[in-house]
Amino acid sequence: MQVNDDGFADFVAANSVALLRTAHLLVCDRHRAEDLLQTALARTYARWHRIRDHGAARAYVRRVLATTAVSWWRLRSFGEQPVAEPPDAEVADPTASGAERLAMWRQLGALPRQQRAVLVLRYYEDLSEADIAATLGISRGAVKSAASRGLQRLREQLEPMERELT
Amino acid sequence: MVEELLRETMAEQADAIDSAPDLTAAAVRRGGRRRTLRRVGTPVAAVIAVLAVAGGILVGGNLLSQRKPEPPAARPADAAPLVPRLRDNVLTVPGGRKIPLPQTGVAVYATLSEVVSAVRGGWLVRGSTRVLFVSTAGAVRKLAEVPDGFDGPVLVAVPSPDGDRVAITKAEAAGQTWVVDLGTQREVARTPTPDAYVDNWFGNQVVLRFQDHQLSLWDPSRGNWDRRRSSKPVTLVSGGNLLLGYNQATNGTYCIGPVDPLHDFAIGATNCAVVFGKDDMTVFVPSPAGRHLVALTSGAVSGSYTPPYVLSVTANGVATGTRLTLSGGHFPTTAAWEDDRTVIVFMTYDEGQPEPAPQRCWIDTGRCVPTRN
């Protein structure tokens, strides 16, 4: 195996947890997230010798993660199936705020993939609109539109629950 | 504010990931194989399980339904497995001959999920980055390849039930699917539109899956484009003259049975067998004649494994059959059929450790014995 090539193994060891967290948010499933990260690292490895600044490698992998997660093709490989209800998630907190976060997590998983990716990059990775546009290979206008529509959909889905809780 | 709640939710979910994924080469074999196989089992297995897998192993799980199965050879119970195996980019074919494959720019991770299938005149090696035809004489020909470093989507390839052709989809080519005659290794047909990928075969027709997960039939010999679609999400596990798939029942369990591709790809409630729960990851590997499926199941959440079992396939449905009794403490990861009654089960192992001997299992009794590697 060639995983020790020029620091690649060290890069994986140092960044895999952080990258897996991002992948988890992008696909809302731990196992699919590992598949997604594995795919992204395979592609990164193939180009590792061309990435002169290994410090930028994490951004590169993040881009591959996001674009792959948005791609319907890769999701086919995940065996993703459309379901009537978003998949269940672990419930750790039975309080109102815990219920709200659980509802948010479910609704996030039900968003269209590009909207979800934009929201993850914006509100978890704290990227600017310009950086998100570069990461996903779309225009800034498309980023704004996806973020706006995603947030609006989350509001619409969560408002009934907020009213119930209050 | 929804933004604040969104930040809190994502932070909480991210914090729940407190350990690194197991991404060593052996671990990729171990876990990746399991997942990949499920895919093959799904559409090609996703086949795909399409998936399928390998880490160095992998197996021909295609359904050569128009061929008679080879009779079991008279050989010792622990004889080396008579199935093709792929490891470190070297294909070992039944009989022990080793055929080096071309080097690839993605040698470490991407090729770990390659699958080897027996086809007419040789073997087909298929993965997300390349599709190779290896003749029985040892000649290797690339049928499709993703360029080194290509970031885009990937390849999917599924051999026809008779092993004469292979349908390939490459997203780089805008998702068009084309069919290659393995006798001439030349393209013989191509889909008219680029919005679907090959999922499986039904007789001489290709089952295409669209972006919305719906299925349709395409006849490569006539160019017909049957736009009938599936009525419910269904994952195909084997093709041939009988198309098998599973869907998710309302109670969260999965039901496997014959799919009707001439109407709506539905699985009838009366011929469907509930075989695994929603938390399980199951790989189905069809036998050469398509009369049986071996199911390898693991709990995706609990991490537990259940012994492999065999499903019998009839024209009316699928029935649960023998449970295989493996020895040793390793988990099964994938399987390959030597003939229609004997299956080789491969085990997980850790990097740096010797690979556990694959076990030969007889489906009539469920007995398994380790083989000589």
Side-chain angles (χ1 to χ4, degrees):
Chain A
M1 289 298 164
Q2 306 162 35
V3 287
N4 290 318
D5 282 2
D6 196 18
F8 183 74
D10 292 340
F11 167 76
V12 171
N15 294 279
S16 57
V17 172
L19 291 168
L20 182 62
R21 287 173 171 170
T22 300
H24 178 57
L25 297 177
L26 287 168
V27 296
C28 296
D29 179 278
R30 167 69 185 252
H31 297 279
R32 289 176 183 175
E34 290 188 3
D35 261 3
L36 176 61
L37 179 55
Q38 179 179 316
T39 299
L41 290 176
R43 291 176 178 171
T44 304
Y45 179 79
R47 283 193 165 182
W48 188 249
H49 63 287
R50 301 179 192 172
I51 301 175
R52 294 178 181 278
D53 178 8
H54 287 177
R58 181 172 165 181
Y60 177 83
V61 178
R62 187 169 56 204
R63 181 168 74 83
V64 178
L65 283 175
T67 55
T68 304
V70 170
S71 162
W72 64 270
W73 189 280
R74 288 305 305 172
L75 288 169
R76 177 211 64 81
S77 294
F78 294 152
E80 184 179 74
Q81 297 279 320
V83 294
E85 294 295 330
D88 292 338
E90 298 263 342
V91 182
D93 184 352
T95 64
S97 59
E100 284 180 319
R101 289 195 294 273
L102 175 59
M104 171 62 84
W105 179 240
R106 287 180 166 176
Q107 294 306 326
L108 181 65
L111 285 181
R113 292 187 284 272
Q114 188 173 75
Q115 291 179 20
R116 191 192 317 158
V118 167
L119 294 182
V120 169
L121 295 175
R122 180 69 187 92
Y123 293 102
Y124 178 69
E125 294 284 357
D126 283 329
L127 297 188
S128 66
E129 286 179 354
D131 288 341
I132 296 171
T135 297
L136 293 175
I138 59 179
S139 68
R140 290 183 66 172
V143 172
K144 285 184 178 181
S145 175
S148 174
R149 289 199 303 268
L151 289 173
Q152 179 60 29
R153 181 163 169 175
L154 292 176
R155 285 191 192 95
E156 291 171 357
Q157 298 296 326
L158 295 171
E159 275 178 359
M161 181 178 181
E162 288 178 356
R163 284 197 298 269
E164 184 177 330
L165 290 172
T166 55
Chain B
M1 291 288 286
V2 69
E3 292 93 337
E4 185 178 347
L5 179 59
L6 180 60
R7 285 183 191 278
E8 291 175 0
T9 300
M10 290 196 289
E12 179 182 73
Q13 290 290 335
D15 286 346
I17 306 290
D18 57 1
S19 60
D22 204 0
L23 290 171
T24 62
V28 172
R29 285 180 180 154
R30 199 170 56 236
R33 177 183 305 157
R34 192 175 68 228
R35 288 189 294 274
T36 308
L37 270 176
R38 181 198 181 199
R39 294 173 209 147
V40 178
T42 52
V44 169
V47 170
I48 232 177
V50 175
L51 302 232
V53 188
I57 307 181
L58 257 237
V59 179
N62 65 326
L63 190 63
L64 304 179
S65 59
Q66 296 177 20
R67 288 182 176 178
K68 293 182 178 179
E70 294 292 329
R75 55 184 184 274
D78 66 346
L82 284 179
V83 295
R85 302 174 69 180
L86 184 59
R87 178 176 303 146
D88 297 334
N89 215 34
V90 174
L91 176 65
T92 302
V93 300
R97 187 156 55 108
K98 296 183 182 298
I99 302 172
L101 302 181
Q103 290 300 314
T104 168
V106 289
V108 174
Y109 293 112
T111 59
L112 292 178
S113 59
E114 288 182 334
V115 185
V116 183
S117 301
V119 294
R120 181 176 296 273
W123 298 272
L124 194 70
V125 177
R126 52 202 167 103
S128 61
T129 60
R130 63 181 179 175
V131 181
L132 306 175
F133 173 70
V134 182
S135 73
T136 52
V140 180
R141 176 160 183 169
K142 291 180 185 176
L143 301 181
E145 186 177 38
V146 172
D148 178 15
F150 181 60
D151 269 351
V154 292
L155 289 169
V156 177
V158 188
S160 62
D162 58 9
D164 286 349
R165 292 164 292 167
V166 58
I168 304 171
T169 309
K170 189 177 186 180
E172 185 191 23
Q176 274 191 303
T177 297
W178 70 98
V179 173
V180 174
D181 183 315
L182 291 174
T184 62
Q185 285 123 58
R186 291 186 176 179
E187 177 182 328
V188 295
R190 183 173 286 260
T191 56
T193 58
D195 54 349
Y197 62 90
V198 55
D199 188 308
N200 220 307
W201 287 75
F202 173 61
N204 289 319
Q205 299 185 78
V206 177
V207 181
L208 295 172
R209 187 176 290 273
F210 290 79
Q211 185 172 353
D212 59 4
H213 299 278
Q214 299 290 295
L215 298 168
S216 185
L217 286 179
W218 170 52
D219 187 340
S221 64
R222 299 180 180 177
N224 288 350
W225 187 256
D226 185 340
R227 285 285 179 175
R228 281 176 291 200
R229 301 295 185 85
S230 49
S231 58
K232 299 175 66 174
V234 60
T235 300
L236 301 180
V237 300
S238 71
N241 294 327
L242 181 66
L243 202 56
L244 292 177
Y246 63 80
N247 57 17
Q248 187 170 6
T250 52
N251 60 359
T253 56
Y254 289 87
C255 202
I256 188 171
V259 171
D260 182 0
L262 300 181
H263 294 91
D264 54 5
F265 291 91
I267 299 175
T270 58
N271 55 11
C272 136
V274 174
V275 290
F276 57 104
K278 66 176 183 177
D279 290 337
D280 293 337
M281 302 180 74
T282 299
V283 174
F284 297 97
V285 183
S287 66
R291 299 191 187 98
H292 306 282
L293 298 169
V294 62
L296 306 170
T297 299
S298 66
V301 174
S302 65
S304 63
Y305 288 74
T306 57
Y309 54 91
V310 175
L311 297 168
S312 297
V313 180
T314 69
N316 296 323
V318 175
T320 302
T322 316
R323 192 165 288 278
L324 304 180
T325 307
L326 298 170
S327 60
H330 295 281
F331 297 137
T333 175
T334 186
W337 292 81
E338 288 187 313
D339 54 60
D340 223 43
R341 311 211 73 81
T342 314
V343 62
I344 302 294
V345 178
F346 296 92
M347 309 295 165
T348 59
Y349 61 102
D350 292 324
E351 188 175 27
Q353 299 297 315
E355 180 183 355
Q359 298 191 30
R360 175 176 286 111
C361 301
W362 291 268
I363 65 170
D364 292 332
T365 62
R367 174 175 168 254
C368 301
V369 299
T371 63
R372 285 172 276 162
N373 247 326

